[in-house]
Amino acid sequence: MTAPAKPYPTEVEASVEQLVYVREDEYTVARMSADGLAAFVASGRALAGVQPGETLRLAGEWDEHPRHGSRLVVERCERVVPSTVRAITLYLGSGLIRGIGPRLAYAIVSHFGERTLTVIDAEPERLREVINIGAVRQEQIVQAWAEQKEIAALMVVLQGFGISPLLAAKIYQVYGNDSRDVLTGDPYRLIGQVRGIAFHTADRIALRSGVPENSPQRIKAAIVDRLETAAARDGHCFLPLPALLVATATLVEQEEELIRSAVDGLVAERRIVVEASSAGPGQVAYSKEQHGREVTLTAHLDRLWRARSTLPMRAFAEDEGLHEDQRVAVNLALTSTVCVLTGGPGCGKSHTVKVIAATVRAMGGTVTLTAPTGKAAKRLSELTGLPAMTVHRMLAQQPEREEGTLFQQSPAQADLIVVDEASMLDLQLATRLTAAIPAGSHLLLVGDSDQLPSIGPGSVLADLLRVEEVPRIRLTHIFRQAQDSGIVQAAHRIRTGELPALPGRGGFWFEELDDPDQVAERVVHLATEAIPRKQNIGRDQVQVLSPMRKGATGTAELGRRLQERLNPAREGAAEHWSGPSVFRVGDRVMPIRNNYDKGVFNGQTATVTALSPQERLMEIRTDDGVSVEYAFGELDELTHAYAISVHRSQGSEYPFVVAPIVAEAGGVMLRRRLLYTLVTRAKSWVVLVGQREALEQAVHQLGYRRNTGLALRLALSLGGAPATARKTAGLGSEPVGG
C-alpha cells in the first residue's frame, strides 16, 4: 500500500491490527490498517479499551513520529461494524468472538462475504453451511457474538458517562444481559461487585442519571465505600465515627447531619455496626463483615485458649543446640493451647519449631505445619525437614461437619498446628483457621512481629501480642552463623531505628543514585545483567521489590521494563493486553486476590504456560505445580511478578533482592517495617539503589497502627477467666515497632 497523500484525512475508518502500548492512564498506541492507506499508528486516550480486530472511526491530527512514522493522534474514537471482507475476517479471527480463530474466520467469510455478520446476527443456522461448524460450535459463536454486541453497547453507555470503556467487560461478567439496566438504574450496586468500580465511578453515573446529591441511597453508598476503602487501602477494621462522618461529608459534599442520619439507617438495616470505642470515649463504625469476623475470631481464640489440652505430657529430650529462650519456647508450646513465638532473622525460630514438632511426634501426637503462602510453606518444610502446607490447603482438606464432630483425618485435627509467617494472617484467614481447629489442639503462631502486617485488614499477630493473657516469647539470641550475615546485621539495626553500615558488606549493599529514572534503569540492569553475570546464576534467582506501585521506580513501571528485557514480544507469538498489562507465554505472574473456585490465593507465584486468543483463555502453572485457567475477562485478578511490592513478598525468601529506595510520592511508603521486611526477604544478597535521605527516612519513620478491636475483645474475653486459669508466660508484652 502507498502512504496517504498529504494532507492526510482527518477522519478514517480502520481496523486495529495490534496493540503496541497501553499506559496506566489509558493512553493507547495501536497499529492500524485501512483500505487505501499504508499501515499506520494511532495513539491517544480516546483509544482506551480498543481490542485487536475492532473497526474504528477515528478523528484527529496526523504527525510524524520518529519511531512509528505516520501517526494519527486521535481525538475522537467510535466503534463501527466492520463492512469489508478484510475487516470482517480480521474481526472474527482476532479472538473477540470466542470459538473462532483465523482459519475458521477465513472459511466463514469466504462463504458469506460481506454478509457474514448479518448471517451470524439474523440467520445463525446458516453457519452450519461452513465445514467444521456443527450445532455446538454454532451455538458457541452465536452466544459469543451476542455477548460482544452487549459489551460494545455497554462501552457506548459508559463513554456517554465519561467512564472508561475498559469496565464494560467486567460489568457484563457480573450482570450479563442485565448490565445496562443496573448501570442506569442502580449504579451504586456496582461498588464492590465489579472490580475497578469504586464510589467515584458509580457516583458519576448516578449523578448524570439524575440521582439527587442528597439522596440517602447516595450517602449510604459513600459511607460503606469509606469503610471498605479504609479496610482495603489501610487495613483498618473500623473507623472512629467522627472520622467516618467527616470523610463521607467531604466525599459527597453534604452536611454531617445527613451523614449521621444515613449511618442510623445503615445500622437499622444491619449493614454496618456502631459501638463504643476501645480507645476511649466516642464510637467506632465497622462494616458488617469486619465486625462479624472480629467477634467470631475472638470467640474461637477464647475457645481454644480455655480448652484442656489433649496433648500427652512428657518431658521433652534436651537438645544441646538450644539456647535458653528456645527451651522456654518449647515448654510454652507444649503447655499452652494458644501461644506466640516471635523473633528476628538468625534467632532460631525455625529450629525451635523443628524441636517442638519432633517432641510432639515423639509423644505420639500429630503435627500440622502451615504458612499463609506456598513459598512460606515450602521454606518452612525445608528448614524443619518436615512436610508443610498452606493454610488454605489445610482448610480445603477440612471435612464436612457431621452431627457436630469432625472426621479425624483432617490436618486441622492435629494435636499441634503451627502457623509460620503469622504476621501475614489477616482477619478473614485467621477466623477461618481458628474455626477449623478443635478444642484441645495446640495453636502455635510463629512470626516476626517487626514485619509488615497482612495485606488484608486486621493486625492479628500484633493484636495477640498486646493481650497479656496470651502466652508468648521473643527469641533474641542471634546465633554465630547468622552474626556474619550483612543482611541479619542490617535488619537488626533497622529494627532498632539505626541506619545500617553503608555502603554495606557481606550480603547487604547500598548504591547511591538520585534521579528516579536512573535508579529504575540501574535496578533493571542489576537484576537482568550485572548480578546474574557476576554471581553466575540464572536471572530467575533475582527478585525486584519496590515500596510503591506507581512512579518510575514503582512495581508497574519496573515490571514493564523487566518484562521487555526478559520476555519481549516475539513475531507471531500470541499476546493479550488487559488494561495496561500485556500477557505472554513465559511471563511470571501472581494472583492479587483469593479465588477459592480456582484454588489460587493472593501472593502465589506462577508462570503463563498457554494463551489462546481464539478461546479467550490463558493458562498459568503455579509454583506448586497446579495448572489454572483464566478467562481474558478475569486477568485483572493477576499481576506480573517481575517486580512486586514488599507487601506481596511477605512469606517468601529470594536468593538475591534488588530494590529502589527513593522519595517518590512523598515517600509515604518509606517506613521502618517496610524496609525491615524488604531486607529480610533476601537470603544471600540485598542491593538497595537510590537516595540516602530516602533510606534514612525509611529507617526513622514509624508506621501507623491499624484500627482493630481484636486485642480489647480478646483481653476482655480471656480476662473473664479466674486468675488461676490465666496462662501467661511471664515474659512481658511485645513492643509495637514502626
Side-chain angles (χ1 to χ4, degrees), residues 72 253 569 637:
L72 179 62
E253 298 181 338
E637 294 186 15

Side-chain angles (χ1 to χ4, degrees), residues 678-689:
L678 189 165
V679 169
T680 54
R681 296 310 88 207
K683 185 176 181 180
S684 298
W685 274 91
V686 57
V687 180
L688 307 180
V689 182

Side-chain angles (χ1 to χ4, degrees), residues 539-620:
R539 290 170 165 179
D540 61 345
Q541 298 293 296
V542 186
Q543 178 64 55
V544 172
L545 305 180
S546 177
M548 62 195 73
R549 192 180 73 82
K550 296 183 178 180
T553 60
T555 56
E557 179 59 28
L558 285 174
R560 186 190 294 273
R561 295 190 188 200
L562 288 162
Q563 183 188 34
E564 287 308 306
R565 297 279 185 92
L566 300 173
N567 193 28
R570 296 181 299 278
E571 188 70 31
E575 63 178 32
H576 179 74
W577 285 86
S578 176
S581 300
V582 59
F583 291 93
R584 302 171 183 136
V585 172
D587 276 341
R588 293 290 291 163
V589 295
M590 172 182 288
I592 56 175
R593 60 188 300 188
N594 295 335
N595 189 318
Y596 295 99
D597 294 332
K598 295 182 185 296
V600 296
F601 304 101
N602 193 342
Q604 284 182 297
T605 48
T607 302
V608 177
T609 52
L611 197 152
S612 172
Q614 178 175 338
E615 300 301 326
R616 299 189 68 76
L617 290 174
M618 189 174 84
E619 181 185 78
I620 68 171

Side-chain angles (χ1 to χ4, degrees), residues 362-375:
M363 292 176 176
T366 54
V367 179
T368 297
L369 301 184
T370 71
T373 66
K375 281 194 172 182

Side-chain angles (χ1 to χ4, degrees), residues 88-215:
I88 295 170
T89 304
L90 180 64
Y91 176 72
L92 292 181
S94 66
L96 281 170
I97 307 301
R98 191 174 61 254
I100 302 180
R103 289 185 180 180
L104 187 57
Y106 179 79
I108 294 172
V109 179
S110 295
H111 189 76
F112 296 112
E114 293 181 354
R115 295 194 68 252
T116 295
L117 299 183
T118 301
V119 169
I120 295 175
D121 200 38
E123 304 174 87
E125 67 280 355
R126 290 193 60 196
L127 286 171
R128 285 192 244 176
E129 297 174 13
V130 180
I131 192 169
N132 292 330
I133 296 183
V136 174
R137 178 66 64 87
Q138 174 205 324
E139 182 59 31
Q140 288 176 340
I141 293 172
V142 170
Q143 183 179 348
W145 168 254
E147 289 178 2
Q148 192 58 36
K149 285 177 62 180
E150 185 64 25
I151 290 171
L154 274 175
M155 287 181 170
V156 173
V157 175
L158 288 171
Q159 286 177 312
F161 288 122
I163 305 297
S164 168
L166 289 172
L167 295 169
K170 299 177 185 178
I171 295 171
Y172 185 84
Q173 190 176 354
V174 176
Y175 297 107
N177 291 333
D178 295 330
S179 296
R180 275 186 280 179
D181 290 340
V182 172
L183 194 64
T184 56
D186 188 7
Y188 294 113
R189 281 178 60 189
L190 302 169
I191 302 172
Q193 294 192 36
V194 179
R195 185 170 175 82
I197 296 186
F199 178 81
H200 285 289
T201 301
D203 194 46
R204 180 186 297 181
I205 298 170
L207 292 177
R208 293 191 179 186
S209 299
V211 174
E213 291 187 357
N214 62 354
S215 161

